[in-house]
Amino acid sequence: DARACVRRRVAAVEMDALYPYGVSTTLPHHLEELGHVLAPPVTVAKFDSSEELLWTGTETGSLTLSHAPSLERHCAIQDREYAIADVVPIGGGAISVSGNSVGYHTTGGETTLDVVTGEGRDSPYTCAAYEHGRGHVGGKLYVGKASAGIVHFDPVSGIVIKNVKTGQGTMRMEWGTQRGLLAAGGLHGELCFRDPRNGLREEMRIDAHQGAVCSLTCQNDITATCGFTSRGGSLVLDQFVKVYDTRFTARAIHHLHFPAGPVAIKFNPASTSVLFMASESGFIQANDINNSAGLPYQFQVDLQGATMYSMDISSSGQCVSFGDTSGWVHTWCTNDSALVNYNSYETAVPVADATNFHLPDPSVAVNPYGQANNSGGFLSMVNPNSAGMSSVGGGGGGGS
């Protein structure tokens, strides 16, 4: 048992190491040329699901697309009135959510859906979740609000289909459990699972934190949350990340202690049991939830005194992005040639082998259609002036 424990510890330590790869600011180029040095704080950073791009939203409502992981500027999208609260990358683009608007933007920077409402000040939008269509059923877009409610939008026309009442405001949403339930983290610490096939009916509910849920991540039937708790009459970051098994009911299986205070958490898509936790100071810790005896993997992001609030991991598990309040985006990778997603892999192109290519013998007749030849010869060998060819043409051909 002791040797098995040592092996588990070594396996936990020897995970793929991450190294600083690139850093870039979200400040537009024309402002850099004018001498501006203060970039707006980064509120959300998400890797694209199909292209080597990184979506970055800021506190001033700007949305920037950068090449990943090198962070060269690809394009920028017009500013919103309120801060970008959430970005949901889907095929060919991404859905952005700000305080009073919901939009869809292509990877080329074009906005094809722009829904603006008057709820930005009293009941701002906070998060979004998109369900891809299946068969004759189209896609569904759900947007959470700071007030008690989740709005169901038509992602094509932007029309509000339904406004679902909830017990409290919704801060984070993500698809959880293999049954297709929607996990929602509440304004007062509630973790709720809703069924989109039955009008977002509540299926499971548990009180995860005393304050708001600030980050939520799901992998298979495992859900993890971090948020705020009450201490001394005020709200502070909860030092424990709550992990739940949701196969039958929401059952707590781990309380992972993270003294630095987690503000963002994310499961590694390439290693489903590894959970990354990020603190405001830039301290990062990765735990294997299936190996509680293993040592966590830790590293520090140099924020130069700024505060971190956003983190994301690419679908390949080889790139991690961080956004801070000074407007800088950091990428860490496992190697110099890290891949962002599975579309980044090179495709082998077949090359013709000229050494084994033989020209056909011109004296041999070729039948390109591969038809059965029962007469012992090819059609090209028949004399067109013969009687046989005249009969094939319907008996109409006359000789000279």
Side-chain angles (χ1 to χ4, degrees), residues 206 289 292 299 338:
I206 190 170
I289 61 174
S292 58
F299 61 94

Side-chain angles (χ1 to χ4, degrees), residues 202-393:
E202 181 182 300
E203 298 291 337
M204 296 182 290
R205 180 170 57 89
I206 190 170
D207 293 329
H209 305 274
Q210 295 181 2
V213 175
C214 60
S215 187
L216 170 68
T217 181
C218 301
Q219 189 72 45
N220 297 329
D221 282 321
I222 302 298
T223 300
T225 66
C226 68
F228 293 86
T229 187
S230 178
R231 184 184 302 166
S234 60
L235 288 177
V236 296
L237 285 173
D238 194 345
Q239 296 183 358
F240 290 91
V241 174
K242 310 295 181 64
V243 183
Y244 299 94
D245 183 353
T246 58
R247 283 175 293 182
F248 304 104
T249 183
R251 178 175 60 90
I253 57 175
H254 288 297
H255 283 186
L256 302 177
H257 189 211
F258 188 48
V263 294
I265 56 176
K266 179 76 174 181
F267 278 110
N268 187 350
S271 181
T272 57
S273 63
V274 176
L275 177 64
F276 278 76
M277 299 174 285
S279 69
E280 290 181 321
S281 61
F283 181 72
I284 312 298
Q285 177 173 305
N287 286 70
D288 189 348
I289 61 174
N290 291 337
N291 182 13
S292 58
L295 295 176
Y297 175 72
Q298 301 172 340
F299 61 94
Q300 175 71 45
V301 180
D302 187 8
L303 302 179
Q304 298 291 327
T307 303
M308 179 190 298
Y309 285 118
S310 61
M311 176 185 67
D312 192 36
I313 305 175
S314 65
S315 59
S316 65
Q318 300 180 15
C319 302
V320 185
S321 68
F322 309 98
D324 61 32
T325 55
S326 62
W328 289 87
V329 181
H330 311 257
T331 54
W332 285 55
C333 301
T334 56
N335 52 65
D336 292 338
S337 57
L339 305 177
V340 177
N341 48 52
Y342 292 100
N343 292 332
S344 303
Y345 288 95
E346 295 183 359
T347 303
V349 179
V351 179
D353 189 0
T355 60
N356 296 326
F357 184 74
H358 301 284
L359 294 175
D361 188 355
S363 63
V364 178
V366 178
N367 181 6
Y369 301 103
Q371 298 172 347
N373 188 4
N374 299 324
S375 62
F378 291 102
L379 183 64
S380 59
M381 301 174 62
V382 179
N383 185 359
N385 296 324
S386 64
M389 289 299 296
S390 300
S391 61
V392 171

Side-chain angles (χ1 to χ4, degrees), residues 47-54 68 74 92-93 107 340-341 343-344:
F47 283 101
D48 193 81
S49 57
S50 58
E51 301 185 32
E52 295 178 330
L53 297 173
L54 178 67
H74 177 64
T107 53
V340 177
N341 48 52
N343 292 332
S344 303

Side-chain angles (χ1 to χ4, degrees), residues 88-171:
V88 182
I90 57 178
I95 296 171
S96 68
V97 176
S98 65
N100 68 335
S101 65
V102 178
Y104 175 76
H105 319 280
T106 65
T107 53
E110 181 182 358
T111 301
T112 59
L113 175 66
D114 190 8
V115 180
V116 180
T117 64
E119 300 182 359
R121 187 177 301 276
D122 299 328
S123 178
Y125 295 134
T126 56
C127 55
Y130 179 78
E131 183 182 15
H132 291 272
R134 300 181 182 90
H136 65 280
V137 180
K140 299 178 182 179
L141 174 60
Y142 300 100
V143 179
K145 301 189 299 181
S147 62
I150 297 176
V151 184
H152 178 194
F153 282 95
D154 180 4
V156 177
S157 62
I159 298 175
V160 176
I161 298 178
K162 187 176 182 181
N163 198 331
V164 181
K165 292 295 182 180
T166 59
Q168 55 186 256
T170 304
M171 303 305 295

